[in-house]
Amino acid sequence: MNNPIISFKNFGFQYRAQKRPTLYDINLDIYPGERILIAGPSGSGKSTIGNCLNGLIPFSYTGECTGSLTVDGVNAPKSSIFEMSRHVGTVLQDPDGQFIGLTVAEDIAFALENDCVPQDEMHETVRKVAQMVDITERMEYAPHELSGGQKQRVSLGGVMVDQVRILLFDEPLANLDPATGKQAIELIDDIQSRTDTTVVIIEHRLEDVLWKNVDRIVLVSEGRIAADLKPDELLSSHLLTEHGIREPLYLTALKYAGVEITPEKRPAHVDTVVLDEKDRRRVRDWFTSAPPAAPKPERPVLLEVKNVTFGYNPEIVTLKDISFQIREGEMLSIVGRNGAGKSTMSKLICGFEPLTQGKVYFKGKDVTNDTIRERAAHIGYVMQNPNQMISKTMIFDEVALGIRNMGLSEAEIREKVESVLKICGLYPFRNWPVSALSFGQKKRVTIASVLVMGPELIILDEPTAGQDFRHYTEIMEFLRSLNDQGVTVVMITHDMHLMLEYTPRALVFNNGRLVCDEASSVVLCNPDLVREAALKETSLFTLANRCGITPPEAFVDRFIDADREVRDNGR
């Protein structure tokens, strides 16, 4: 067997500012040409492992290393970031944080310019790399003009000009729509097959990464390696759920149906999992064992958008003739590819942008010409990144900010704020600084600062982006509890699991048009719509087809109901 290209031996690391180590006794060998997925819950240490590989630890994030780490023959902790960049190319979670050049060509050429490569050689190398990552048609574009998937291709090209032997991807799917995420995994697969590069992917969206094969999954928990197994072996165990990682939905469905999952069944992908006739019959029997849920009574219309057309400038129309209704007490998703018009629609509902054409009604009243402040009394908006909304140092002051100008007494303000903090599970921290909170807790602070205004409708942009399964569940169960208390919840999301699990209905946008307003299960069981709107078919759809169940959306609904019951009983 070849010598490992990456070798951790009894490796540990403790950040200078922390009392305890983040990594303990890591022993891990990765061999040339392997594709390794490093998974684990937030705070497990998986990103720290990645930062040790590319030299950010200990040179940017200082601390004490113990044991040894060899990367492509280099003693990594004793090297430098510059030296490590010759061996490890890193593609960040947010490509925008990686761009240097004013155009795609300049960005790819940046490392070559630093090395004073002759121009003719530089142009040839950039051309070859751009061809490899399929971005040749966008060479003169500015990076900010590209789609999410194109940005990732440029980032990949920028690190490949050095002909690195190791590619490190840090949560490559976090900011991509479902179809683009799928393309990103296909791109990684294609690049590796052509270059035999060693690939390390850090990601908690397991099912999406396993769209293409990986050699091993390294499961990290509390700073230690909990498992280092082939995908079929890991997915046949209970280790994922024990460590707070969501297993693929089709596997959960098979388990609910009483199908035993073993490595011999090749469970790493829904297309390859081996199902005999007995297994398929068990799935069909499970599907028919519960009657369909009774339809819920229709509630009054809360918000109506009627014939809305909008463009940020007169020449370009961003939204075209959009009409839909949202009913009181609903929980629904707005989905579609990046740039489809989802966020623009939410800005128009909140009054952040003036309408070009059309009307917005709230409880039957025309609010088209209402100010942002007037609409904020009924409609709340929570941004994806809580740090972009927070302006006060202390939690209480942040939540109280919006009602300070309402003419309330200090006692009334305190009563309102403390009431909302209790709803949001933040009351014990009311006198804490915001900086002391986790990302998920900060998210709750921003939601609290909106809820204190008393809105009947709350719109959230990517509420679970970048969250592991545990934090995702905490946030979504919290939003579900708000919905149970009568708050109508609308979520802009790329997360198809969220859409299925929590929102019975979805509005699908594509190229500035509303192309579908349907049940979420119906949306993700429509291959044509999935392709058109850059979504991703649920693996439950594939499983239903393999087991001969029709209509597949009924099987999806059966699974969602069963999964909800299991989770509610497990609380």
Side-chain angles (χ1 to χ4, degrees):
M1 182 180 279
N2 292 333
N3 291 324
I5 192 170
I6 296 170
S7 183
F8 291 87
K9 297 294 184 191
N10 303 317
F11 185 83
F13 179 74
Q14 181 173 342
Y15 290 98
R16 179 173 290 175
Q18 293 188 348
K19 291 182 179 179
R20 298 184 185 88
T22 298
L23 298 178
Y24 299 86
D25 199 29
I26 302 294
N27 287 285
L28 175 66
D29 287 339
I30 298 174
Y31 292 89
E34 277 196 299
R35 187 182 311 167
I36 303 296
L37 168 60
I38 299 179
S42 294
S44 62
K46 62 184 186 297
S47 293
T48 298
I49 289 175
N51 289 335
C52 291
L53 291 176
N54 61 21
L56 288 175
I57 289 176
F59 303 106
S60 286
Y61 307 131
T62 56
E64 182 183 354
C65 297
T66 56
S68 67
L69 169 58
T70 305
V71 179
D72 199 14
V74 176
N75 183 347
K78 301 294 183 186
S79 183
S80 67
I81 292 179
F82 175 74
E83 172 64 20
M84 295 310 299
S85 70
R86 300 287 191 185
H87 303 272
V88 182
T90 305
V91 179
L92 300 174
Q93 174 180 339
D94 180 10
D96 289 323
Q98 199 159 348
F99 292 134
I100 301 292
L102 296 177
T103 66
V104 168
E106 284 182 18
D107 200 80
I108 295 175
F110 179 73
L112 303 174
E113 291 180 321
N114 278 352
D115 292 342
C116 300
V117 172
Q119 279 215 342
D120 289 348
E121 184 182 338
M122 186 191 306
H123 285 140
E124 180 62 17
T125 301
V126 169
R127 186 188 64 77
K128 285 181 179 177
V129 168
Q131 200 168 25
M132 187 180 294
V133 298
D134 193 22
I135 200 70
T136 50
E137 301 300 317
R138 298 287 189 273
M139 296 294 276
E140 300 307 316
Y141 281 59
H144 72 265
E145 296 177 315
L146 304 178
S147 68
Q150 290 167 339
K151 287 178 179 179
Q152 204 157 52
R153 290 173 185 270
V154 176
S155 296
L156 182 55
V159 300
M160 290 195 68
V161 293
D162 276 332
Q163 297 182 325
V164 293
R165 296 186 65 204
I166 301 164
L167 285 172
L168 172 65
F169 294 87
D170 186 3
E171 299 207 20
L173 307 179
N175 296 311
L176 301 180
D177 63 50
T180 305
K182 185 176 173 182
Q183 291 164 12
I185 295 300
E186 290 170 346
L187 174 64
I188 294 169
D189 181 69
D190 181 53
I191 293 296
Q192 187 176 31
S193 66
R194 286 193 275 160
T195 62
D196 202 32
T197 308
T198 302
V199 169
V200 178
I201 303 171
I202 300 170
E203 181 62 71
H204 56 257
R205 287 167 59 176
L206 200 75
E207 184 172 340
D208 293 329
V209 176
L210 292 177
W211 168 244
K212 293 295 182 180
N213 292 333
V214 301
D215 295 294
R216 288 183 285 147
I217 301 174
V218 176
L219 181 61
V220 182
S221 179
E222 297 181 350
R224 303 178 188 274
I225 293 179
D228 178 1
L229 297 169
K230 292 181 179 178
D232 288 335
E233 294 172 342
L234 184 63
L235 292 171
S236 302
S237 73
H238 298 288
L239 286 166
L240 290 175
T241 50
E242 286 172 3
H243 290 88
I245 303 295
R246 186 211 299 271
E247 66 183 1
L249 294 186
Y250 61 90
L251 286 185
T252 308
L254 288 170
K255 290 176 181 178
Y256 286 167
V259 176
E260 185 183 2
I261 307 300
T262 64
E264 291 72 31
K265 283 190 179 291
R266 291 185 289 152
H269 196 281
V270 67
D271 290 328
T272 62
V273 62
V274 177
L275 299 174
D276 58 26
E277 182 51 38
K278 186 188 291 184
D279 294 331
R280 291 193 291 272
R281 187 169 61 251
R282 277 183 172 154
V283 175
R284 290 193 294 269
D285 290 346
W286 173 78
F287 167 63
T288 58
S289 65
K296 293 182 179 178
E298 199 168 76
R299 297 183 180 183
V301 173
L302 181 68
L303 179 89
E304 183 175 11
V305 171
K306 200 166 184 179
N307 306 122
V308 164
T309 295
F310 174 79
Y312 288 101
N313 63 61
E315 290 77 31
I316 301 174
V317 177
T318 307
L319 292 171
K320 305 160 195 169
D321 196 27
I322 307 293
S323 296
F324 61 86
Q325 294 177 337
I326 296 173
R327 296 185 176 274
E328 291 180 11
E330 271 200 286
M331 212 168 169
L332 64 87
S333 290
I334 299 178
V335 298
R337 71 175 75 242
N338 289 332
K342 307 183 299 295
S343 295
T344 299
M345 188 70 255
S346 67
K347 290 176 184 176
L348 295 174
I349 291 171
C350 295
F352 299 156
E353 297 286 347
L355 280 178
T356 307
Q357 182 181 315
K359 297 283 186 181
V360 176
Y361 298 90
F362 193 87
K363 286 189 167 180
K365 176 181 177 289
D366 186 351
V367 296
T368 307
N369 297 316
D370 283 10
T371 64
I372 295 173
R373 186 187 178 108
E374 288 169 330
R375 290 201 206 185
H378 309 286
I379 303 168
Y381 181 75
V382 180
M383 298 172 73
Q384 178 177 338
N385 185 347
N387 296 317
Q388 293 177 334
M389 290 184 69
I390 292 169
S391 58
K392 293 293 184 180
T393 303
M394 306 303 291
I395 292 171
F396 185 94
D397 294 337
E398 178 63 33
V399 176
L401 182 62
I403 58 172
R404 287 262 177 222
N405 297 321
M406 289 184 173
L408 302 175
S409 68
E410 196 60 36
E412 289 171 321
I413 290 172
R414 180 162 294 278
E415 183 183 352
K416 277 182 171 288
V417 170
E418 290 185 352
S419 174
V420 167
L421 288 173
K422 287 174 183 175
I423 292 170
C424 297
L426 293 168
Y427 184 74
F429 314 116
R430 60 195 179 282
N431 297 318
W432 283 30
V434 176
S435 59
L437 300 182
S438 68
F439 185 90
Q441 288 170 324
K442 286 180 181 177
K443 198 100 171 176
R444 291 191 180 206
V445 170
T446 60
I447 294 170
S449 67
V450 169
L451 284 180
V452 79
M453 306 289 290
E456 295 160 82
L457 169 67
I458 183 170
I459 302 173
L460 302 103
D461 193 352
E462 293 289 357
T464 60
Q467 302 291 299
D468 65 16
F469 186 44
R470 181 171 69 84
H471 290 98
Y472 159 99
T473 302
E474 284 178 0
I475 289 171
M476 290 311 304
E477 288 300 319
F478 165 62
L479 292 174
R480 184 172 165 237
S481 72
L482 291 181
N483 184 244
D484 289 342
Q485 295 174 51
V487 179
T488 302
V489 179
V490 176
M491 286 169 284
I492 302 167
T493 185
H494 287 319
D495 189 332
M496 300 295 95
H497 291 158
L498 178 157
M499 171 183 158
L500 273 180
E501 287 177 303
Y502 289 94
T503 62
R505 175 180 162 217
L507 304 176
V508 184
F509 281 72
N510 187 42
N511 293 329
R513 295 187 181 277
L514 178 62
V515 295
C516 185
D517 177 356
E518 259 294 2
S520 297
S521 56
V522 172
V523 168
L524 293 190
C525 290
N526 183 333
D528 293 335
L529 180 62
V530 163
R531 278 192 297 273
E532 179 186 357
L535 306 178
K536 182 174 179 286
E537 284 172 7
T538 172
S539 57
L540 298 170
F541 168 74
T542 308
L543 180 60
N545 285 337
R546 288 195 60 189
C547 294
I549 295 172
T550 57
E553 55 265 29
F555 177 76
V556 174
D557 288 334
R558 167 77 171 101
F559 171 83
I560 296 302
D561 290 341
D563 198 51
R564 168 58 55 201
E565 185 178 345
V566 167
R567 284 211 247 160
D568 285 348
N569 291 338
R571 282 194 201 171

